[in-house]
Amino acid sequence: MCSKSYSNVDKLIVIAIVATTFLPSTMVFHMFRMVLVGAIFFVKSRKINKIFLVWMYNIGLAAITVLLVERSLLSSNILHEFVRVLFYILVVEVCLNTKIELRTLYQIAIVVLTIHFIIQMTQFLGMNVFDSMIVNYYLAGDSNNIHYIQAVSSDYAFRSGSIFINPNVYVCYPSLCTGVFLQYYKSKKSTFSLIMVVIAFFSIILTGSRMGLGTFSMIVMFFIIKETKVNFKLTKGKIFVALLIILVIANWGYVSVYLNEMRAFNLEEAYDGSLGTKLSGIKAYLTISNPLYYLTGSLGSPRCTFAIDMEYGYIFAWYGLIGVYWFVKLLKMLYTNKKSIHSIIAKSTLITILLTDIAASIILNMSVFPFVCVFALTKTREIGERYETH
């Protein structure tokens, strides 16, 4: 029998893991994350997923290969990756052994998105409420960060990544939350969940991310095609959507002006801008790197340090084809864990990772990955449903 106290403990564990995503990305806070999740790990589970054993082997093999080829090694990079994998071992196992209700995920998504959206809106309105906090704690005093300048300066097209600074990184948050909102709407027909989908949309627009807009559109499209049934019964959800469409059409003159000014809708510069930079980085790596690195990766190489600016590129550059193998296996685990229970969350998680990784990094981001694990790997039940215990 599953006791109420046990359920509350699991809820607190999930809240604690999500709370770590708000911490700055500094060594001190990385260690705090490690200690916190490590303590929970030794209570919940002491297993190690085989995927991470392959990952650690990959790190060692890449380091040996770089030493043989270049006779030198950036040991700090190797250490950082070992710490990353160790942290991921803890997070994944904790989430896989944590049981919570769908409502808990829904409430967490609401709170997280609301906080970030408020930060974005204060920047968009020029209120400067959180700017000093962001500069002092998340930028270590560096107010010249280009992503931060885009959020506070009128000289650039507005882009806000909330406390993550980089909007291409933050954009995965509203996308992941959208999947949870749609899953909850399917289960409970809550009109408020549709309101949160709209807020997620505006949050994505404020990031200026074209890939984020494409991700959101694909998640909603899959939901409409796969999860909704055609019927003419009038519901609160249908009324809300109809009123929203009417409101947009009636005010299209004002709406179109704002849309034209937002970077997310400016597709003409997509290739020459961000995509062109990414492709040039990959081309430079392939030109200079040793062919052995194509298999083992060049992690720790002093020579092969290029700004590729996309996770797929870094996975291949740092870990080679072996890295591609464990990367695909990890994606499969994140997708299949909830595929048969909450398919919308599973699909939205996979879509978000696959598309966001073209513009930024999710799997290799120690602040973001725990949030993904909470949504994708926890054992989620419907409200009122009981777990079978043995």
Side-chain angles (χ1 to χ4, degrees):
M1 183 175 178
C2 180
S3 68
K4 185 176 180 180
S5 61
Y6 179 76
S7 176
N8 287 336
V9 168
D10 278 16
K11 185 183 293 186
L12 289 174
I13 289 173
V14 169
I15 291 173
I17 293 175
V18 171
T20 65
T21 67
F22 285 92
L23 298 176
S25 297
T26 63
M27 183 57 67
V28 172
F29 286 110
H30 281 325
M31 292 304 298
F32 176 79
R33 291 185 182 95
M34 185 80 72
V35 172
L36 175 65
V37 180
I40 301 171
F41 171 81
F42 283 104
V43 173
K44 279 287 185 182
S45 171
R46 297 185 183 182
K47 299 179 181 178
I48 298 179
N49 194 289
K50 293 180 180 179
I51 294 172
F52 298 107
L53 294 177
V54 177
W55 194 341
M56 287 191 287
Y57 166 79
N58 196 176
I59 294 173
L61 185 60
I64 292 172
T65 304
V66 169
L67 272 174
L68 292 175
V69 172
E70 301 184 28
R71 298 292 190 272
S72 61
L73 184 70
L74 297 176
S75 57
S76 59
N77 291 3
I78 302 298
L79 177 61
H80 183 275
E81 291 309 299
F82 268 118
V83 171
R84 184 201 306 280
V85 176
L86 178 58
F87 178 59
Y88 286 5
I89 289 172
L90 304 176
V91 171
V92 167
E93 287 302 321
V94 167
C95 288
L96 284 173
N97 288 276
T98 302
K99 304 171 183 178
I100 57 174
E101 290 182 340
L102 173 61
R103 178 168 53 191
T104 302
L105 281 186
Y106 174 64
Q107 293 169 342
I108 287 173
I110 290 174
V111 172
V112 169
L113 181 61
T114 301
I115 292 173
H116 287 306
F117 184 63
I118 289 173
I119 294 173
Q120 288 182 295
M121 283 302 299
T122 59
Q123 291 181 325
F124 180 71
L125 297 174
M127 299 171 66
N128 303 320
V129 176
F130 301 99
D131 290 353
S132 60
M133 177 194 73
I134 291 174
V135 171
N136 292 330
Y137 294 101
Y138 295 92
L139 286 173
D142 180 18
S143 60
N144 294 319
N145 180 283
I146 183 60
H147 292 302
Y148 172 74
I149 293 175
Q150 288 177 322
V152 298
S153 174
S154 59
D155 295 334
Y156 295 83
F158 180 83
R159 301 191 70 187
S160 172
S162 185
I163 61 172
F164 294 94
I165 319 303
N166 186 340
N168 290 329
V169 172
Y170 163 69
V171 76
C172 70
Y173 275 73
S175 298
L176 291 168
C177 289
T178 297
V180 176
F181 297 146
L182 293 176
Q183 185 75 64
Y184 194 80
Y185 176 75
K186 180 187 177 184
S187 177
K188 302 302 172 184
K189 296 298 183 288
S190 167
T191 304
F192 187 74
S193 61
L194 295 181
I195 295 175
M196 292 308 302
V197 170
V198 175
I199 292 176
F201 170 75
F202 283 112
S203 182
I204 290 172
I205 298 305
L206 291 176
T207 68
S209 172
R210 306 178 185 100
M211 197 59 66
L213 182 60
T215 301
F216 176 87
S217 302
M218 189 170 293
I219 291 171
V220 173
M221 180 186 68
F222 268 94
F223 173 76
I224 293 173
I225 294 174
K226 298 289 185 179
E227 306 295 342
T228 59
K229 297 179 181 179
V230 178
N231 64 72
F232 298 97
K233 182 180 179 180
L234 202 60
T235 63
K236 291 181 180 179
K238 290 179 181 179
I239 293 174
F240 172 77
V241 173
L243 290 176
L244 184 63
I245 294 174
I246 292 172
L247 183 65
V248 171
I249 294 175
N251 296 275
W252 183 248
Y254 298 102
V255 173
S256 61
V257 172
Y258 282 106
L259 294 184
N260 290 334
E261 293 178 353
M262 301 306 291
R263 181 183 182 275
F265 294 95
N266 186 355
L267 302 179
E268 295 179 0
E269 299 177 359
Y271 177 81
D272 293 334
S274 58
L275 183 58
T277 301
K278 294 170 176 56
L279 292 177
S280 63
I282 295 174
K283 182 179 178 181
Y285 173 77
L286 292 175
T287 301
I288 296 178
S289 64
N290 189 292
L292 279 175
Y293 295 164
Y294 300 166
L295 175 63
T296 65
S298 61
L299 183 65
S301 168
R303 185 176 63 188
C304 298
T305 54
F306 300 97
I308 299 175
D309 200 27
M310 63 183 298
E311 189 149 86
Y312 297 125
Y314 283 122
I315 291 291
F316 178 71
W318 292 354
Y319 299 105
L321 293 177
I322 299 175
V324 174
Y325 168 78
W326 58 252
F327 180 73
V328 172
K329 297 288 286 186
L330 182 57
L331 291 183
K332 183 179 179 181
M333 180 179 67
L334 292 171
Y335 172 68
T336 57
N337 186 63
K338 272 193 169 68
K339 181 178 66 172
S340 60
I341 306 172
H342 292 127
S343 61
I344 301 172
I345 295 178
K347 290 175 183 175
S348 64
T349 301
L350 186 62
I351 292 170
T352 298
I353 295 174
L354 290 176
L355 295 186
T356 303
D357 278 359
I358 297 175
S361 178
I362 293 182
I363 302 298
L364 295 179
N365 191 308
M366 292 177 68
S367 297
V368 176
F369 186 71
F371 191 73
V372 176
C373 290
V374 164
F375 279 12
L377 297 181
T378 51
K379 295 179 180 178
T380 313
R381 58 176 175 171
E382 293 290 345
I383 300 171
E385 181 184 340
R386 301 178 71 87
Y387 287 118
E388 293 183 2
T389 56
H390 303 281

